[in-house]
Amino acid sequence: MGPPDVEIVLDEAAIDETVDRLASRISADFSDGVVLAGVLRGSVPFLSDLVRRLTIRPLVDFVAITPYAPNTGRVRLLKDLDIDVAGREVVVIEDIVDTGLTTAFLLGEIRRRQPARVAVCTLVDRPARRVVPVELDYVGVEIPDVFVVGYGLDHEGRYRNVRVLAVADRDLLAADPDAYVAALYPA
Ligand code: XMP
Ligand code: MG
């Protein structure tokens, strides 16, 4: 069996265009400064590209979230923001919003600190599986109900440094976590 075919959602050029577009809008909307709150770890490549294209001068901070128990959808903060966001404008930077549980939980946590404003920017939106409604202010790309890897998104820690965003078959990955290595890492 050869390497599986891959469907590319965003190639490198499309990633550049997407990040440019979002950076322009965020720069225009937050000219008085902003705290970017990156959600570890999937948002790191996206945030890293985004922050260098902003024409404003943001503060950058990170949160990490972990499930309470497997498959419950309930999450808790593993690492909180270090910056006090009271009275500040905040943009949460996500890799993907799926059920919305993670984002809804984070928005609740951040709003308790009484920021002036909280917005959400996500590279990927997969509305098909939404459980909690969340308002997304900046969306890179909307996808149907498929699993994606690359550009920060992982399967069991793999594929985060792939330079494109690609659809991956979870059954194939379950059988062989390296199933997409040949297809997604240039020789
Ligand atoms: P919720 O359901 O809370 O999920 O919106 C958000 C988190 O789930 C992970 N996730 C994915 N990771 N490919 C990935 O690599 C995917 O297709 C995918 N769908 C969900 C991700 O960590 C995200 O922050
Ligand atoms: Mg993940």
Side-chain angles (χ1 to χ4, degrees):
M1 206 173 75
D5 288 339
V6 283
E7 184 192 333
I8 306 296
V9 177
L10 296 174
D11 62 14
E12 288 184 66
I15 286 173
D16 280 349
E17 283 169 28
T18 301
V19 176
D20 273 342
R21 172 171 56 82
L22 298 175
S24 303
R25 289 189 47 212
I26 292 171
S27 296
D29 292 352
F30 295 88
S31 54
D32 292 335
V34 68
V35 177
L36 300 183
V39 184
L40 292 173
R41 289 169 274 191
S43 74
V44 169
F46 174 46
L47 174 56
S48 161
D49 284 342
L50 185 73
V51 76
R52 284 176 290 176
R53 284 174 168 93
L54 296 176
T55 54
I56 52 174
R57 295 178 294 139
L59 297 177
V60 178
D61 203 349
F62 292 96
V63 291
I65 261 154
T66 191
Y68 259 114
N71 305 316
T72 59
R74 291 189 61 217
V75 293
R76 65 184 172 85
L77 272 183
L78 189 65
K79 185 227 168 284
D80 202 344
L81 291 170
D82 292 317
I83 297 171
D84 178 5
V85 295
R88 290 184 189 268
E89 304 202 42
V90 181
V91 181
V92 174
I93 310 291
E94 286 270 19
D95 55 353
I96 180 167
V97 178
D98 183 27
T99 64
L101 290 164
T102 305
T103 309
F105 167 80
L106 260 180
L107 288 174
E109 285 294 313
I110 293 173
R111 285 195 179 117
R112 283 202 289 124
R113 294 102 193 254
Q114 311 201 313
R117 176 180 171 196
V118 196
V120 179
C121 172
T122 186
L123 174 69
V124 185
D125 178 19
R126 185 167 53 212
R129 288 166 36 95
R130 198 76 90 245
V131 172
V132 191
V134 279
E135 194 180 318
L136 304 177
D137 302 273
Y138 309 95
V139 173
V141 65
E142 184 180 309
I143 61 167
D145 192 4
V146 292
F147 189 74
V148 286
V149 296
Y151 197 52
L153 289 99
D154 71 306
H155 175 262
E156 295 178 356
R158 289 169 167 86
Y159 306 106
R160 285 199 202 275
N161 69 332
V162 166
R163 300 172 77 111
V164 300
L165 184 75
V167 174
D169 181 331
R170 293 187 97 162
D171 293 333
L172 260 178
L173 285 169
D176 174 13
D178 288 325
Y180 289 93
V181 167
L184 292 176
Y185 287 96

